[in-house]
Amino acid sequence: MTKQRKLIKDIVYASYKHPTAEEIFESAKKKMPSIAVGTVYRNLTLLVESGEVRKIDVPNAPSKYDRPQIPHEHLICKNCGAVADVDLVGLLDVLKQKTCEEVIEYKLTMYYVCPKCKNF
Amino acid sequence: MTKQRKLIKDIVYASYKHPTAEEIFESAKKKMPSIAVGTVYRNLTLLVESGEVRKIDVPNAPSKYDRPQIPHEHLICKNCGAVADVDLVGLLDVLKQKTCEEVIEYKLTMYYVCPKCKNF
DNA sequence: CTAAATGCAAACTATTTGCAACGAT
DNA sequence: ATCGTTGCAAATAGTTTGCATTTAG
């Protein structure tokens, strides 16, 4: 882990809001004036791949970055009733965006046919 | 409604899949070779604004377009309990994509503070 | 007639990439 | 010495925009 990568990760983790790559870049330049945008993007991609940072896709706007959190929801099999946990990272943001409201929390249950039942 | 606009709308409505602007443009050129990409984008924007066409935002990929459908969910005020209806077009697709499962249906309730309560 | 819409091309935004220099093992 | 990483600048992808011309109402 290079100091650039460390710096970028620290900025994301320390941010009170969800910063964009550009904002992270601006912030990083204060500590390390020579850092390049390309480096920020490259490292964000790497950090997202390793799961250290979470990317939030925002339609018609630059992506935002955040530390990962692990909420989870349930998928219920319509056939056998088995419950699977699913990690629905980013759903709250999707709901906020789709409703255009400051959604605080939500209750969600999904229904499907589980892999086992699907094979019979 | 110009013939370009009509053509674009028809293409979206006739498409078996969810076409991108580029695909719509290619398809439109077959009927009207002089049509410009800019026209396709401008009309798609207009059609989306008027509700005649639905835009599907896809992370890291061109947006797709579809005819609109109107499911709806509830937003409940945590303060006064008032219920607002919201149109959550595209949520099922988001859930399918996020869970990587063939979600059949879902139950969703969201909580927020309604505009009236927010102002007191 | 005239306001809105078009075609064309250039501009823009967010992000990615090629490459030579750099830096940590 | 080596291999990943950097800074820089140019490239890319998707979309938007300015402008002179055309078209629909």
Side-chain angles (χ1 to χ4, degrees):
Chain A
M1 169 154 309
T2 61
K3 57 189 169 187
Q4 286 86 340
R5 180 124 78 229
K6 179 76 166 50
L7 174 59
I8 290 162
K9 181 175 173 180
D10 286 349
I11 289 169
V12 174
Y13 275 60
S15 181
Y16 53 95
K17 60 172 199 149
H18 300 161
T20 62
E22 186 63 31
E23 288 164 345
I24 294 164
F25 172 59
E26 290 304 327
S27 179
K29 270 202 297 196
K30 288 175 190 158
K31 284 269 163 95
M32 191 186 289
S34 70
I35 201 170
V37 236
T39 301
V40 172
Y41 277 102
R42 268 186 289 234
N43 278 301
L44 284 172
T45 302
L46 257 16
L47 288 164
V48 167
E49 277 167 9
S50 74
E52 290 161 278
V53 162
R54 170 180 150 193
K55 180 179 184 182
I56 307 171
D57 293 299
V58 186
N60 311 324
S63 295
K64 293 164 176 290
Y65 296 85
D66 195 9
R67 28 180 153 37
Q69 307 157 17
I70 323 285
H72 85 262
E73 326 298 331
H74 300 295
L75 259 173
I76 302 181
C77 177
K78 292 198 90 168
N79 188 241
C80 73
V83 177
D85 287 341
V86 242
D87 189 348
L88 247 43
V89 137
L91 218 216
L92 188 58
D93 287 337
V94 172
L95 296 176
K96 285 180 184 174
Q97 186 235 315
K98 284 195 174 287
T99 57
C100 297
E101 294 288 352
E102 252 305 303
V103 177
I104 297 164
E105 58 181 339
Y106 60 88
K107 279 284 186 184
L108 172 68
T109 312
M110 290 164 287
Y111 298 84
Y112 76 141
V113 176
C114 75
K116 277 180 189 167
C117 290
K118 219 183 273 180
N119 294 329
F120 291 104
Chain B
M1 169 151 311
T2 61
K3 56 189 170 186
Q4 287 85 341
R5 181 123 79 231
K6 178 74 167 51
L7 174 59
I8 289 162
K9 183 175 172 182
D10 285 349
I11 288 169
V12 174
Y13 275 60
S15 180
Y16 52 97
K17 61 172 200 152
H18 300 161
T20 62
E22 186 62 30
E23 288 164 347
I24 294 164
F25 172 58
E26 291 305 328
S27 180
K29 271 201 297 195
K30 288 175 189 159
K31 284 269 162 97
M32 190 185 290
S34 70
I35 200 169
V37 237
T39 301
V40 172
Y41 277 102
R42 267 185 290 233
N43 279 300
L44 284 171
T45 302
L46 257 17
L47 288 165
V48 168
E49 277 166 9
S50 74
E52 290 161 278
V53 162
R54 169 179 152 194
K55 180 180 184 183
I56 307 171
D57 293 299
V58 186
N60 312 324
S63 296
K64 294 165 175 292
Y65 296 86
D66 194 9
R67 27 180 154 35
Q69 306 159 14
I70 323 284
H72 88 263
E73 328 297 332
H74 300 295
L75 259 173
I76 302 182
C77 176
K78 291 198 90 165
N79 188 241
C80 72
V83 177
D85 286 342
V86 243
D87 189 349
L88 246 45
V89 135
L91 218 218
L92 188 59
D93 287 338
V94 172
L95 296 177
K96 284 180 187 175
Q97 187 231 315
K98 283 194 176 291
T99 58
C100 299
E101 294 287 354
E102 252 303 304
V103 177
I104 297 164
E105 56 180 342
Y106 60 89
K107 278 285 186 182
L108 171 69
T109 313
M110 291 164 286
Y111 298 85
Y112 77 141
V113 177
C114 74
K116 279 179 187 166
C117 290
K118 219 184 271 179
N119 294 329
F120 289 103

